[in-house]
Amino acid sequence: MTDFVYKPICEVIEQSPEHVLLRLKIPENLFYFQGHFALAPILPGVAQLDWVMHYLTKYLNVDCQKAISVDALKFQIIVKPNYEVDLLLKQIKNTKFSFSYSSEHGQHASGKVVLNDE
């Protein structure tokens, strides 16, 4: 039986109070590859969004419980097992943060997380 993991191996490349650049190594035993798809596994978009929220909280101290929308969400290129992808998280204003996943394969996904301003 394979032991599955739920998060990639994460390395901080750059960090400031307004942004963080992470290098994520996507292991082939990632739980999210199960059944998505058997012959050609790809990382689901919902997992990518979960990681955005997790890393916004961890590195930029964002209260993602206040998220009210994800705007301009685009998934361009699929992420496969053993890819290394860079995740850039940037604060645009107090209630808006952008994210983008990219690698040597190109731009994988991008969007903006919008928080309630109350």
Side-chain angles (χ1 to χ4, degrees):
M1 181 174 184
T2 304
D3 289 331
F4 292 107
V5 296
Y6 291 85
K7 298 271 189 268
I9 298 163
C10 179
E11 175 187 358
V12 177
I13 304 298
E14 287 179 16
Q15 187 173 11
S16 78
E18 296 83 29
H19 87 283
V20 64
L21 176 61
L22 305 171
R23 173 125 335 120
L24 307 178
K25 296 177 184 175
I26 314 298
E28 57 186 32
N29 65 334
L30 190 70
F31 174 80
Y32 302 109
F33 290 135
Q34 276 191 115
H36 203 262
F37 297 93
L39 298 178
I42 62 172
L43 182 63
V46 69
Q48 294 176 55
L49 284 176
D50 179 58
W51 294 349
V52 165
M53 299 303 188
H54 172 76
Y55 294 123
L56 278 172
T57 301
K58 182 173 182 175
Y59 292 106
L60 296 180
N61 299 312
V62 174
D63 181 359
C64 288
Q65 296 294 318
K66 293 183 176 182
I68 56 172
S69 68
V70 178
D71 296 347
L73 180 60
K74 295 179 186 162
F75 295 101
Q76 294 102 332
I77 298 174
I78 61 174
V79 177
K80 297 181 181 181
N82 298 315
Y83 274 23
E84 279 192 13
V85 297
D86 290 343
L87 172 57
L88 177 60
L89 302 169
K90 291 195 310 189
Q91 183 173 9
I92 299 170
K93 56 185 186 177
N94 286 343
T95 58
K96 191 179 277 190
F97 297 82
S98 68
F99 65 89
S100 64
Y101 285 94
S102 61
S103 75
E104 64 185 11
H105 304 282
Q107 177 88 14
H108 296 280
S110 62
K112 295 175 179 68
V113 175
V114 180
L115 307 178
N116 188 333
D117 62 357
E118 295 179 359

